[in-house]
Amino acid sequence: MIKFENHLGVIDISKDYFVNLVGEAVVNCFGVAGMAPSSAGQSLRDRIFRGREDIDKGIRVRVRNQKLVIDLHILVAYGTNISAIVKSITHKVRFTVEEKTGFQVARVNVFIDGMHTDGQS
């Protein structure tokens, strides 16, 4: 759960909600070929449960000083401008999360973990 406290009380939103929200924003950006595991635990889980798409693959959301910090591990399409992809993702994720939740995003960290060519799946 992501918790925010304000003068009205405490707001709890599940991490699954944030992961779905961020994941949809990321995979719809041009040049993103997919998500990559963001930790050794996710990587191990991928190997054990092949073919099963985990909801949190490549996304980590945490709270720091009442603002969200979002880490993304992505795969990019071969031949695309990585700088442009990262700028697009950070803007889209920040806008989407702030618009849908009202919570401020402090940082969106994008890690490029691999590249896919047209022949790869």
Side-chain angles (χ1 to χ4, degrees):
M1 287 292 219
I2 305 280
K3 289 186 177 207
F4 280 95
E5 226 174 296
N6 63 18
H7 67 283
L8 298 174
V10 178
I11 301 167
D12 288 330
I13 298 180
S14 74
K15 282 194 176 187
D16 287 348
Y17 174 78
F18 280 104
V19 168
N20 279 328
L21 186 65
V22 170
E24 278 296 313
V26 171
V27 297
N28 288 322
C29 285
F30 176 78
V32 176
M35 303 300 291
S38 63
S39 67
Q42 282 185 352
S43 183
L44 179 63
R45 191 172 53 205
D46 282 355
R47 290 172 195 240
I48 293 172
F49 300 106
R50 268 185 207 262
R52 188 177 137 231
E53 191 66 31
D54 288 314
I55 193 169
D56 61 347
K57 184 175 180 180
I59 302 171
R60 181 174 175 220
V61 180
R62 59 192 190 280
V63 178
R64 185 177 296 156
N65 299 327
Q66 293 296 315
K67 293 183 180 180
L68 296 174
V69 177
I70 302 169
D71 294 334
L72 304 169
H73 291 262
I74 66 167
L75 304 171
V76 296
Y78 178 79
T80 55
N81 183 327
I82 292 175
S83 177
I85 293 170
V86 171
K87 284 179 186 176
S88 173
I89 290 170
T90 55
H91 286 98
K92 187 168 186 175
V93 167
R94 182 183 303 271
F95 175 78
T96 301
V97 170
E98 289 179 352
E99 178 186 42
K100 300 288 183 190
T101 67
F103 299 150
Q104 285 188 321
V105 176
R107 293 183 63 95
V108 178
N109 301 312
V110 180
F111 302 94
I112 310 296
D113 290 348
M115 180 181 3
H116 277 255
T117 61
D118 290 336
Q120 290 180 323
S121 56

PDB file of all heavy atoms in Angstrom, residues 31-71:
ATOM      1  N   GLY A  31       8.495   3.148 -29.009  1.00  0.00           N
ATOM      2  CA  GLY A  31       9.850   2.664 -28.818  1.00  0.00           C
ATOM      3  C   GLY A  31      10.028   1.687 -27.675  1.00  0.00           C
ATOM      4  O   GLY A  31      11.071   1.065 -27.554  1.00  0.00           O
ATOM      5  N   VAL A  32       9.014   1.535 -26.830  1.00  0.00           N
ATOM      6  CA  VAL A  32       9.111   0.594 -25.710  1.00  0.00           C
ATOM      7  C   VAL A  32       8.713  -0.783 -26.215  1.00  0.00           C
ATOM      8  O   VAL A  32       7.614  -0.993 -26.701  1.00  0.00           O
ATOM      9  CB  VAL A  32       8.215   1.017 -24.528  1.00  0.00           C
ATOM     10  CG1 VAL A  32       8.255  -0.023 -23.424  1.00  0.00           C
ATOM     11  CG2 VAL A  32       8.645   2.372 -24.002  1.00  0.00           C
ATOM     12  N   ALA A  33       9.653  -1.737 -26.097  1.00  0.00           N
ATOM     13  CA  ALA A  33       9.393  -3.100 -26.564  1.00  0.00           C
ATOM     14  C   ALA A  33       8.847  -3.982 -25.449  1.00  0.00           C
ATOM     15  O   ALA A  33       8.334  -5.056 -25.714  1.00  0.00           O
ATOM     16  CB  ALA A  33      10.677  -3.708 -27.122  1.00  0.00           C
ATOM     17  N   GLY A  34       8.956  -3.546 -24.211  1.00  0.00           N
ATOM     18  CA  GLY A  34       8.450  -4.326 -23.099  1.00  0.00           C
ATOM     19  C   GLY A  34       9.085  -3.901 -21.798  1.00  0.00           C
ATOM     20  O   GLY A  34       9.874  -2.968 -21.738  1.00  0.00           O
ATOM     21  N   MET A  35       8.731  -4.637 -20.759  1.00  0.00           N
ATOM     22  CA  MET A  35       9.266  -4.377 -19.431  1.00  0.00           C
ATOM     23  C   MET A  35      10.278  -5.463 -19.088  1.00  0.00           C
ATOM     24  O   MET A  35      10.166  -6.591 -19.549  1.00  0.00           O
ATOM     25  CB  MET A  35       8.147  -4.364 -18.390  1.00  0.00           C
ATOM     26  CG  MET A  35       7.046  -3.356 -18.673  1.00  0.00           C
ATOM     27  SD  MET A  35       7.596  -1.647 -18.735  1.00  0.00           S
ATOM     28  CE  MET A  35       7.993  -1.357 -17.039  1.00  0.00           C
ATOM     29  N   ALA A  36      11.260  -5.112 -18.272  1.00  0.00           N
ATOM     30  CA  ALA A  36      12.292  -6.051 -17.830  1.00  0.00           C
ATOM     31  C   ALA A  36      12.170  -6.211 -16.320  1.00  0.00           C
ATOM     32  O   ALA A  36      11.709  -5.295 -15.635  1.00  0.00           O
ATOM     33  CB  ALA A  36      13.674  -5.527 -18.194  1.00  0.00           C
ATOM     34  N   PRO A  37      12.560  -7.359 -15.780  1.00  0.00           N
ATOM     35  CA  PRO A  37      12.506  -7.536 -14.325  1.00  0.00           C
ATOM     36  C   PRO A  37      13.353  -6.475 -13.622  1.00  0.00           C
ATOM     37  O   PRO A  37      14.459  -6.168 -14.060  1.00  0.00           O
ATOM     38  CB  PRO A  37      13.100  -8.928 -14.102  1.00  0.00           C
ATOM     39  CG  PRO A  37      13.003  -9.614 -15.416  1.00  0.00           C
ATOM     40  CD  PRO A  37      13.076  -8.539 -16.454  1.00  0.00           C
ATOM     41  N   SER A  38      12.819  -5.908 -12.537  1.00  0.00           N
ATOM     42  CA  SER A  38      13.529  -4.841 -11.847  1.00  0.00           C
ATOM     43  C   SER A  38      14.365  -5.326 -10.674  1.00  0.00           C
ATOM     44  O   SER A  38      15.063  -4.542 -10.058  1.00  0.00           O
ATOM     45  CB  SER A  38      12.543  -3.779 -11.355  1.00  0.00           C
ATOM     46  OG  SER A  38      11.658  -4.339 -10.416  1.00  0.00           O
ATOM     47  N   SER A  39      14.279  -6.624 -10.378  1.00  0.00           N
ATOM     48  CA  SER A  39      15.062  -7.146  -9.258  1.00  0.00           C
ATOM     49  C   SER A  39      15.393  -8.612  -9.514  1.00  0.00           C
ATOM     50  O   SER A  39      14.823  -9.250 -10.390  1.00  0.00           O
ATOM     51  CB  SER A  39      14.275  -7.018  -7.954  1.00  0.00           C
ATOM     52  OG  SER A  39      13.147  -7.877  -7.978  1.00  0.00           O
ATOM     53  N   ALA A  40      16.304  -9.129  -8.708  1.00  0.00           N
ATOM     54  CA  ALA A  40      16.662 -10.543  -8.827  1.00  0.00           C
ATOM     55  C   ALA A  40      15.463 -11.427  -8.512  1.00  0.00           C
ATOM     56  O   ALA A  40      15.268 -12.469  -9.133  1.00  0.00           O
ATOM     57  CB  ALA A  40      17.822 -10.864  -7.892  1.00  0.00           C
ATOM     58  N   GLY A  41      14.635 -10.996  -7.572  1.00  0.00           N
ATOM     59  CA  GLY A  41      13.432 -11.761  -7.230  1.00  0.00           C
ATOM     60  C   GLY A  41      12.462 -11.863  -8.395  1.00  0.00           C
ATOM     61  O   GLY A  41      11.896 -12.914  -8.660  1.00  0.00           O
ATOM     62  N   GLN A  42      12.279 -10.762  -9.111  1.00  0.00           N
ATOM     63  CA  GLN A  42      11.402 -10.780 -10.276  1.00  0.00           C
ATOM     64  C   GLN A  42      11.997 -11.645 -11.373  1.00  0.00           C
ATOM     65  O   GLN A  42      11.278 -12.362 -12.057  1.00  0.00           O
ATOM     66  CB  GLN A  42      11.163  -9.367 -10.801  1.00  0.00           C
ATOM     67  CG  GLN A  42      10.169  -8.584 -10.010  1.00  0.00           C
ATOM     68  CD  GLN A  42       9.881  -7.235 -10.632  1.00  0.00           C
ATOM     69  OE1 GLN A  42      10.535  -6.808 -11.580  1.00  0.00           O
ATOM     70  NE2 GLN A  42       8.892  -6.551 -10.097  1.00  0.00           N
ATOM     71  N   SER A  43      13.301 -11.575 -11.555  1.00  0.00           N
ATOM     72  CA  SER A  43      13.966 -12.383 -12.575  1.00  0.00           C
ATOM     73  C   SER A  43      13.808 -13.866 -12.277  1.00  0.00           C
ATOM     74  O   SER A  43      13.509 -14.663 -13.166  1.00  0.00           O
ATOM     75  CB  SER A  43      15.439 -12.003 -12.653  1.00  0.00           C
ATOM     76  OG  SER A  43      16.068 -12.718 -13.673  1.00  0.00           O
ATOM     77  N   LEU A  44      14.007 -14.256 -11.028  1.00  0.00           N
ATOM     78  CA  LEU A  44      13.836 -15.646 -10.618  1.00  0.00           C
ATOM     79  C   LEU A  44      12.391 -16.090 -10.809  1.00  0.00           C
ATOM     80  O   LEU A  44      12.121 -17.169 -11.328  1.00  0.00           O
ATOM     81  CB  LEU A  44      14.259 -15.826  -9.161  1.00  0.00           C
ATOM     82  CG  LEU A  44      14.105 -17.229  -8.589  1.00  0.00           C
ATOM     83  CD1 LEU A  44      15.001 -18.213  -9.335  1.00  0.00           C
ATOM     84  CD2 LEU A  44      14.440 -17.228  -7.102  1.00  0.00           C
ATOM     85  N   ARG A  45      11.446 -15.243 -10.441  1.00  0.00           N
ATOM     86  CA  ARG A  45      10.030 -15.555 -10.595  1.00  0.00           C
ATOM     87  C   ARG A  45       9.684 -15.750 -12.066  1.00  0.00           C
ATOM     88  O   ARG A  45       8.911 -16.632 -12.429  1.00  0.00           O
ATOM     89  CB  ARG A  45       9.200 -14.430  -9.981  1.00  0.00           C
ATOM     90  CG  ARG A  45       7.747 -14.756  -9.843  1.00  0.00           C
ATOM     91  CD  ARG A  45       7.020 -13.697  -9.067  1.00  0.00           C
ATOM     92  NE  ARG A  45       7.267 -12.384  -9.633  1.00  0.00           N
ATOM     93  CZ  ARG A  45       7.175 -11.272  -8.931  1.00  0.00           C
ATOM     94  NH1 ARG A  45       6.870 -11.290  -7.668  1.00  0.00           N
ATOM     95  NH2 ARG A  45       7.387 -10.106  -9.523  1.00  0.00           N
ATOM     96  N   ASP A  46      10.289 -14.934 -12.959  1.00  0.00           N
ATOM     97  CA  ASP A  46      10.062 -15.076 -14.401  1.00  0.00           C
ATOM     98  C   ASP A  46      10.542 -16.433 -14.899  1.00  0.00           C
ATOM     99  O   ASP A  46       9.913 -17.050 -15.752  1.00  0.00           O
ATOM    100  CB  ASP A  46      10.793 -13.979 -15.177  1.00  0.00           C
ATOM    101  CG  ASP A  46      10.076 -12.649 -15.117  1.00  0.00           C
ATOM    102  OD1 ASP A  46       8.962 -12.600 -14.563  1.00  0.00           O
ATOM    103  OD2 ASP A  46      10.637 -11.662 -15.614  1.00  0.00           O
ATOM    104  N   ARG A  47      11.684 -16.883 -14.392  1.00  0.00           N
ATOM    105  CA  ARG A  47      12.227 -18.167 -14.832  1.00  0.00           C
ATOM    106  C   ARG A  47      11.390 -19.340 -14.335  1.00  0.00           C
ATOM    107  O   ARG A  47      11.233 -20.336 -15.030  1.00  0.00           O
ATOM    108  CB  ARG A  47      13.666 -18.322 -14.366  1.00  0.00           C
ATOM    109  CG  ARG A  47      14.592 -17.395 -15.096  1.00  0.00           C
ATOM    110  CD  ARG A  47      15.968 -17.420 -14.490  1.00  0.00           C
ATOM    111  NE  ARG A  47      16.724 -16.287 -14.969  1.00  0.00           N
ATOM    112  CZ  ARG A  47      17.844 -16.396 -15.640  1.00  0.00           C
ATOM    113  NH1 ARG A  47      18.340 -17.566 -15.911  1.00  0.00           N
ATOM    114  NH2 ARG A  47      18.472 -15.325 -16.047  1.00  0.00           N
ATOM    115  N   ILE A  48      10.854 -19.212 -13.144  1.00  0.00           N
ATOM    116  CA  ILE A  48      10.036 -20.289 -12.571  1.00  0.00           C
ATOM    117  C   ILE A  48       8.673 -20.357 -13.248  1.00  0.00           C
ATOM    118  O   ILE A  48       8.191 -21.413 -13.602  1.00  0.00           O
ATOM    119  CB  ILE A  48       9.877 -20.105 -11.049  1.00  0.00           C
ATOM    120  CG1 ILE A  48      11.231 -20.296 -10.366  1.00  0.00           C
ATOM    121  CG2 ILE A  48       8.855 -21.083 -10.490  1.00  0.00           C
ATOM    122  CD1 ILE A  48      11.245 -19.943  -8.889  1.00  0.00           C
ATOM    123  N   PHE A  49       8.051 -19.200 -13.427  1.00  0.00           N
ATOM    124  CA  PHE A  49       6.702 -19.141 -13.989  1.00  0.00           C
ATOM    125  C   PHE A  49       6.730 -18.581 -15.402  1.00  0.00           C
ATOM    126  O   PHE A  49       6.108 -17.570 -15.708  1.00  0.00           O
ATOM    127  CB  PHE A  49       5.790 -18.277 -13.109  1.00  0.00           C
ATOM    128  CG  PHE A  49       5.648 -18.771 -11.713  1.00  0.00           C
ATOM    129  CD1 PHE A  49       6.280 -18.113 -10.661  1.00  0.00           C
ATOM    130  CD2 PHE A  49       4.909 -19.891 -11.436  1.00  0.00           C
ATOM    131  CE1 PHE A  49       6.158 -18.560  -9.362  1.00  0.00           C
ATOM    132  CE2 PHE A  49       4.782 -20.355 -10.147  1.00  0.00           C
ATOM    133  CZ  PHE A  49       5.406 -19.692  -9.103  1.00  0.00           C
ATOM    134  N   ARG A  50       7.448 -19.225 -16.291  1.00  0.00           N
ATOM    135  CA  ARG A  50       7.539 -18.768 -17.688  1.00  0.00           C
ATOM    136  C   ARG A  50       6.170 -18.636 -18.322  1.00  0.00           C
ATOM    137  O   ARG A  50       5.298 -19.453 -18.126  1.00  0.00           O
ATOM    138  CB  ARG A  50       8.351 -19.754 -18.505  1.00  0.00           C
ATOM    139  CG  ARG A  50       9.773 -19.385 -18.541  1.00  0.00           C
ATOM    140  CD  ARG A  50      10.523 -20.313 -19.463  1.00  0.00           C
ATOM    141  NE  ARG A  50      11.883 -20.355 -19.004  1.00  0.00           N
ATOM    142  CZ  ARG A  50      12.845 -19.628 -19.534  1.00  0.00           C
ATOM    143  NH1 ARG A  50      12.587 -18.888 -20.573  1.00  0.00           N
ATOM    144  NH2 ARG A  50      14.048 -19.663 -19.052  1.00  0.00           N
ATOM    145  N   GLY A  51       6.012 -17.571 -19.095  1.00  0.00           N
ATOM    146  CA  GLY A  51       4.754 -17.358 -19.814  1.00  0.00           C
ATOM    147  C   GLY A  51       3.730 -16.584 -18.997  1.00  0.00           C
ATOM    148  O   GLY A  51       2.787 -16.053 -19.539  1.00  0.00           O
ATOM    149  N   ARG A  52       3.921 -16.512 -17.706  1.00  0.00           N
ATOM    150  CA  ARG A  52       2.984 -15.775 -16.858  1.00  0.00           C
ATOM    151  C   ARG A  52       3.489 -14.347 -16.710  1.00  0.00           C
ATOM    152  O   ARG A  52       4.606 -14.123 -16.289  1.00  0.00           O
ATOM    153  CB  ARG A  52       2.904 -16.437 -15.480  1.00  0.00           C
ATOM    154  CG  ARG A  52       1.839 -15.853 -14.631  1.00  0.00           C
ATOM    155  CD  ARG A  52       1.768 -16.596 -13.299  1.00  0.00           C
ATOM    156  NE  ARG A  52       1.629 -15.577 -12.292  1.00  0.00           N
ATOM    157  CZ  ARG A  52       2.371 -15.464 -11.218  1.00  0.00           C
ATOM    158  NH1 ARG A  52       3.322 -16.311 -10.987  1.00  0.00           N
ATOM    159  NH2 ARG A  52       2.166 -14.504 -10.363  1.00  0.00           N
ATOM    160  N   GLU A  53       2.679 -13.385 -17.069  1.00  0.00           N
ATOM    161  CA  GLU A  53       3.076 -11.978 -17.000  1.00  0.00           C
ATOM    162  C   GLU A  53       2.739 -11.438 -15.615  1.00  0.00           C
ATOM    163  O   GLU A  53       1.586 -11.414 -15.213  1.00  0.00           O
ATOM    164  CB  GLU A  53       2.331 -11.173 -18.070  1.00  0.00           C
ATOM    165  CG  GLU A  53       2.835  -9.772 -18.263  1.00  0.00           C
ATOM    166  CD  GLU A  53       4.246  -9.706 -18.817  1.00  0.00           C
ATOM    167  OE1 GLU A  53       4.645 -10.601 -19.565  1.00  0.00           O
ATOM    168  OE2 GLU A  53       4.944  -8.746 -18.500  1.00  0.00           O
ATOM    169  N   ASP A  54       3.769 -11.038 -14.868  1.00  0.00           N
ATOM    170  CA  ASP A  54       3.547 -10.490 -13.544  1.00  0.00           C
ATOM    171  C   ASP A  54       3.158  -9.031 -13.643  1.00  0.00           C
ATOM    172  O   ASP A  54       3.708  -8.276 -14.437  1.00  0.00           O
ATOM    173  CB  ASP A  54       4.806 -10.624 -12.683  1.00  0.00           C
ATOM    174  CG  ASP A  54       5.047 -12.061 -12.276  1.00  0.00           C
ATOM    175  OD1 ASP A  54       4.084 -12.709 -11.841  1.00  0.00           O
ATOM    176  OD2 ASP A  54       6.189 -12.519 -12.411  1.00  0.00           O
ATOM    177  N   ILE A  55       2.255  -8.638 -12.762  1.00  0.00           N
ATOM    178  CA  ILE A  55       1.725  -7.291 -12.792  1.00  0.00           C
ATOM    179  C   ILE A  55       2.791  -6.249 -12.481  1.00  0.00           C
ATOM    180  O   ILE A  55       2.759  -5.146 -12.979  1.00  0.00           O
ATOM    181  CB  ILE A  55       0.537  -7.190 -11.811  1.00  0.00           C
ATOM    182  CG1 ILE A  55      -0.226  -5.909 -12.041  1.00  0.00           C
ATOM    183  CG2 ILE A  55       0.990  -7.291 -10.381  1.00  0.00           C
ATOM    184  CD1 ILE A  55      -1.526  -5.853 -11.331  1.00  0.00           C
ATOM    185  N   ASP A  56       3.775  -6.620 -11.666  1.00  0.00           N
ATOM    186  CA  ASP A  56       4.765  -5.640 -11.219  1.00  0.00           C
ATOM    187  C   ASP A  56       6.088  -5.717 -11.960  1.00  0.00           C
ATOM    188  O   ASP A  56       7.066  -5.107 -11.553  1.00  0.00           O
ATOM    189  CB  ASP A  56       5.002  -5.788  -9.722  1.00  0.00           C
ATOM    190  CG  ASP A  56       5.536  -7.149  -9.337  1.00  0.00           C
ATOM    191  OD1 ASP A  56       5.501  -8.068 -10.178  1.00  0.00           O
ATOM    192  OD2 ASP A  56       5.967  -7.306  -8.185  1.00  0.00           O
ATOM    193  N   LYS A  57       6.126  -6.429 -13.050  1.00  0.00           N
ATOM    194  CA  LYS A  57       7.386  -6.626 -13.776  1.00  0.00           C
ATOM    195  C   LYS A  57       7.957  -5.284 -14.251  1.00  0.00           C
ATOM    196  O   LYS A  57       7.338  -4.568 -15.019  1.00  0.00           O
ATOM    197  CB  LYS A  57       7.165  -7.547 -14.969  1.00  0.00           C
ATOM    198  CG  LYS A  57       8.450  -7.865 -15.713  1.00  0.00           C
ATOM    199  CD  LYS A  57       8.176  -8.865 -16.810  1.00  0.00           C
ATOM    200  CE  LYS A  57       9.448  -9.194 -17.546  1.00  0.00           C
ATOM    201  NZ  LYS A  57       9.214 -10.164 -18.602  1.00  0.00           N
ATOM    202  N   GLY A  58       9.144  -4.965 -13.758  1.00  0.00           N
ATOM    203  CA  GLY A  58       9.849  -3.780 -14.208  1.00  0.00           C
ATOM    204  C   GLY A  58       9.432  -2.472 -13.580  1.00  0.00           C
ATOM    205  O   GLY A  58       9.924  -1.424 -13.971  1.00  0.00           O
ATOM    206  N   ILE A  59       8.539  -2.507 -12.603  1.00  0.00           N
ATOM    207  CA  ILE A  59       8.031  -1.264 -12.013  1.00  0.00           C
ATOM    208  C   ILE A  59       8.183  -1.316 -10.498  1.00  0.00           C
ATOM    209  O   ILE A  59       7.812  -2.297  -9.867  1.00  0.00           O
ATOM    210  CB  ILE A  59       6.550  -1.035 -12.365  1.00  0.00           C
ATOM    211  CG1 ILE A  59       6.371  -0.989 -13.877  1.00  0.00           C
ATOM    212  CG2 ILE A  59       6.029   0.226 -11.708  1.00  0.00           C
ATOM    213  CD1 ILE A  59       4.933  -0.989 -14.321  1.00  0.00           C
ATOM    214  N   ARG A  60       8.727  -0.249  -9.946  1.00  0.00           N
ATOM    215  CA  ARG A  60       8.832  -0.128  -8.497  1.00  0.00           C
ATOM    216  C   ARG A  60       8.349   1.265  -8.116  1.00  0.00           C
ATOM    217  O   ARG A  60       8.830   2.262  -8.659  1.00  0.00           O
ATOM    218  CB  ARG A  60      10.266  -0.335  -8.044  1.00  0.00           C
ATOM    219  CG  ARG A  60      10.436  -0.248  -6.554  1.00  0.00           C
ATOM    220  CD  ARG A  60      11.849  -0.609  -6.140  1.00  0.00           C
ATOM    221  NE  ARG A  60      11.992  -0.405  -4.716  1.00  0.00           N
ATOM    222  CZ  ARG A  60      13.071   0.115  -4.157  1.00  0.00           C
ATOM    223  NH1 ARG A  60      14.110   0.441  -4.903  1.00  0.00           N
ATOM    224  NH2 ARG A  60      13.128   0.286  -2.864  1.00  0.00           N
ATOM    225  N   VAL A  61       7.382   1.337  -7.200  1.00  0.00           N
ATOM    226  CA  VAL A  61       6.832   2.605  -6.748  1.00  0.00           C
ATOM    227  C   VAL A  61       7.055   2.705  -5.248  1.00  0.00           C
ATOM    228  O   VAL A  61       6.745   1.771  -4.511  1.00  0.00           O
ATOM    229  CB  VAL A  61       5.314   2.705  -7.055  1.00  0.00           C
ATOM    230  CG1 VAL A  61       4.758   4.028  -6.567  1.00  0.00           C
ATOM    231  CG2 VAL A  61       5.039   2.522  -8.532  1.00  0.00           C
ATOM    232  N   ARG A  62       7.601   3.835  -4.815  1.00  0.00           N
ATOM    233  CA  ARG A  62       7.799   4.048  -3.379  1.00  0.00           C
ATOM    234  C   ARG A  62       7.542   5.512  -3.043  1.00  0.00           C
ATOM    235  O   ARG A  62       7.488   6.362  -3.925  1.00  0.00           O
ATOM    236  CB  ARG A  62       9.179   3.586  -2.950  1.00  0.00           C
ATOM    237  CG  ARG A  62      10.326   4.238  -3.627  1.00  0.00           C
ATOM    238  CD  ARG A  62      11.636   3.511  -3.336  1.00  0.00           C
ATOM    239  NE  ARG A  62      12.786   4.249  -3.790  1.00  0.00           N
ATOM    240  CZ  ARG A  62      13.232   4.291  -5.024  1.00  0.00           C
ATOM    241  NH1 ARG A  62      12.599   3.624  -5.966  1.00  0.00           N
ATOM    242  NH2 ARG A  62      14.292   4.990  -5.352  1.00  0.00           N
ATOM    243  N   VAL A  63       7.388   5.789  -1.752  1.00  0.00           N
ATOM    244  CA  VAL A  63       7.110   7.143  -1.291  1.00  0.00           C
ATOM    245  C   VAL A  63       8.336   7.678  -0.573  1.00  0.00           C
ATOM    246  O   VAL A  63       8.914   6.993   0.271  1.00  0.00           O
ATOM    247  CB  VAL A  63       5.899   7.162  -0.331  1.00  0.00           C
ATOM    248  CG1 VAL A  63       5.644   8.565   0.176  1.00  0.00           C
ATOM    249  CG2 VAL A  63       4.669   6.607  -1.005  1.00  0.00           C
ATOM    250  N   ARG A  64       8.715   8.896  -0.932  1.00  0.00           N
ATOM    251  CA  ARG A  64       9.813   9.578  -0.254  1.00  0.00           C
ATOM    252  C   ARG A  64       9.381  11.026  -0.049  1.00  0.00           C
ATOM    253  O   ARG A  64       9.075  11.722  -1.018  1.00  0.00           O
ATOM    254  CB  ARG A  64      11.089   9.510  -1.088  1.00  0.00           C
ATOM    255  CG  ARG A  64      12.288  10.111  -0.367  1.00  0.00           C
ATOM    256  CD  ARG A  64      13.559   9.999  -1.147  1.00  0.00           C
ATOM    257  NE  ARG A  64      13.902   8.583  -1.319  1.00  0.00           N
ATOM    258  CZ  ARG A  64      14.657   8.150  -2.314  1.00  0.00           C
ATOM    259  NH1 ARG A  64      15.112   8.983  -3.216  1.00  0.00           N
ATOM    260  NH2 ARG A  64      14.947   6.864  -2.410  1.00  0.00           N
ATOM    261  N   ASN A  65       9.329  11.466   1.206  1.00  0.00           N
ATOM    262  CA  ASN A  65       8.939  12.839   1.552  1.00  0.00           C
ATOM    263  C   ASN A  65       7.582  13.214   0.963  1.00  0.00           C
ATOM    264  O   ASN A  65       7.420  14.279   0.362  1.00  0.00           O
ATOM    265  CB  ASN A  65      10.013  13.839   1.106  1.00  0.00           C
ATOM    266  CG  ASN A  65      11.341  13.598   1.772  1.00  0.00           C
ATOM    267  OD1 ASN A  65      11.391  13.161   2.929  1.00  0.00           O
ATOM    268  ND2 ASN A  65      12.418  13.846   1.052  1.00  0.00           N
ATOM    269  N   GLN A  66       6.616  12.326   1.101  1.00  0.00           N
ATOM    270  CA  GLN A  66       5.248  12.545   0.628  1.00  0.00           C
ATOM    271  C   GLN A  66       5.136  12.728  -0.888  1.00  0.00           C
ATOM    272  O   GLN A  66       4.177  13.305  -1.384  1.00  0.00           O
ATOM    273  CB  GLN A  66       4.604  13.742   1.348  1.00  0.00           C
ATOM    274  CG  GLN A  66       4.368  13.517   2.821  1.00  0.00           C
ATOM    275  CD  GLN A  66       3.363  12.407   3.081  1.00  0.00           C
ATOM    276  OE1 GLN A  66       2.320  12.340   2.447  1.00  0.00           O
ATOM    277  NE2 GLN A  66       3.682  11.529   4.017  1.00  0.00           N
ATOM    278  N   LYS A  67       6.131  12.242  -1.628  1.00  0.00           N
ATOM    279  CA  LYS A  67       6.089  12.256  -3.091  1.00  0.00           C
ATOM    280  C   LYS A  67       6.473  10.872  -3.594  1.00  0.00           C
ATOM    281  O   LYS A  67       7.182  10.124  -2.913  1.00  0.00           O
ATOM    282  CB  LYS A  67       7.054  13.297  -3.660  1.00  0.00           C
ATOM    283  CG  LYS A  67       6.656  14.725  -3.354  1.00  0.00           C
ATOM    284  CD  LYS A  67       7.599  15.690  -4.001  1.00  0.00           C
ATOM    285  CE  LYS A  67       7.187  17.113  -3.681  1.00  0.00           C
ATOM    286  NZ  LYS A  67       8.095  18.087  -4.293  1.00  0.00           N
ATOM    287  N   LEU A  68       6.005  10.534  -4.780  1.00  0.00           N
ATOM    288  CA  LEU A  68       6.289   9.222  -5.356  1.00  0.00           C
ATOM    289  C   LEU A  68       7.617   9.218  -6.099  1.00  0.00           C
ATOM    290  O   LEU A  68       7.963  10.180  -6.777  1.00  0.00           O
ATOM    291  CB  LEU A  68       5.183   8.829  -6.333  1.00  0.00           C
ATOM    292  CG  LEU A  68       3.800   8.632  -5.753  1.00  0.00           C
ATOM    293  CD1 LEU A  68       2.797   8.390  -6.872  1.00  0.00           C
ATOM    294  CD2 LEU A  68       3.779   7.479  -4.770  1.00  0.00           C
ATOM    295  N   VAL A  69       8.324   8.109  -5.968  1.00  0.00           N
ATOM    296  CA  VAL A  69       9.522   7.849  -6.757  1.00  0.00           C
ATOM    297  C   VAL A  69       9.231   6.559  -7.524  1.00  0.00           C
ATOM    298  O   VAL A  69       8.896   5.535  -6.928  1.00  0.00           O
ATOM    299  CB  VAL A  69      10.776   7.683  -5.868  1.00  0.00           C
ATOM    300  CG1 VAL A  69      11.980   7.330  -6.720  1.00  0.00           C
ATOM    301  CG2 VAL A  69      11.023   8.952  -5.072  1.00  0.00           C
ATOM    302  N   ILE A  70       9.335   6.614  -8.847  1.00  0.00           N
ATOM    303  CA  ILE A  70       8.981   5.483  -9.702  1.00  0.00           C
ATOM    304  C   ILE A  70      10.217   5.039 -10.466  1.00  0.00           C
ATOM    305  O   ILE A  70      10.853   5.845 -11.142  1.00  0.00           O
ATOM    306  CB  ILE A  70       7.853   5.879 -10.679  1.00  0.00           C
ATOM    307  CG1 ILE A  70       6.623   6.355  -9.896  1.00  0.00           C
ATOM    308  CG2 ILE A  70       7.507   4.722 -11.600  1.00  0.00           C
ATOM    309  CD1 ILE A  70       5.569   7.016 -10.739  1.00  0.00           C
ATOM    310  N   ASP A  71      10.551   3.754 -10.331  1.00  0.00           N
ATOM    311  CA  ASP A  71      11.659   3.151 -11.077  1.00  0.00           C
ATOM    312  C   ASP A  71      11.075   2.250 -12.157  1.00  0.00           C
ATOM    313  O   ASP A  71      10.195   1.426 -11.871  1.00  0.00           O
ATOM    314  CB  ASP A  71      12.559   2.313 -10.168  1.00  0.00           C
ATOM    315  CG  ASP A  71      13.291   3.158  -9.135  1.00  0.00           C
ATOM    316  OD1 ASP A  71      13.508   4.348  -9.391  1.00  0.00           O
ATOM    317  OD2 ASP A  71      13.645   2.609  -8.080  1.00  0.00           O
TER     318      ASP A  71
END
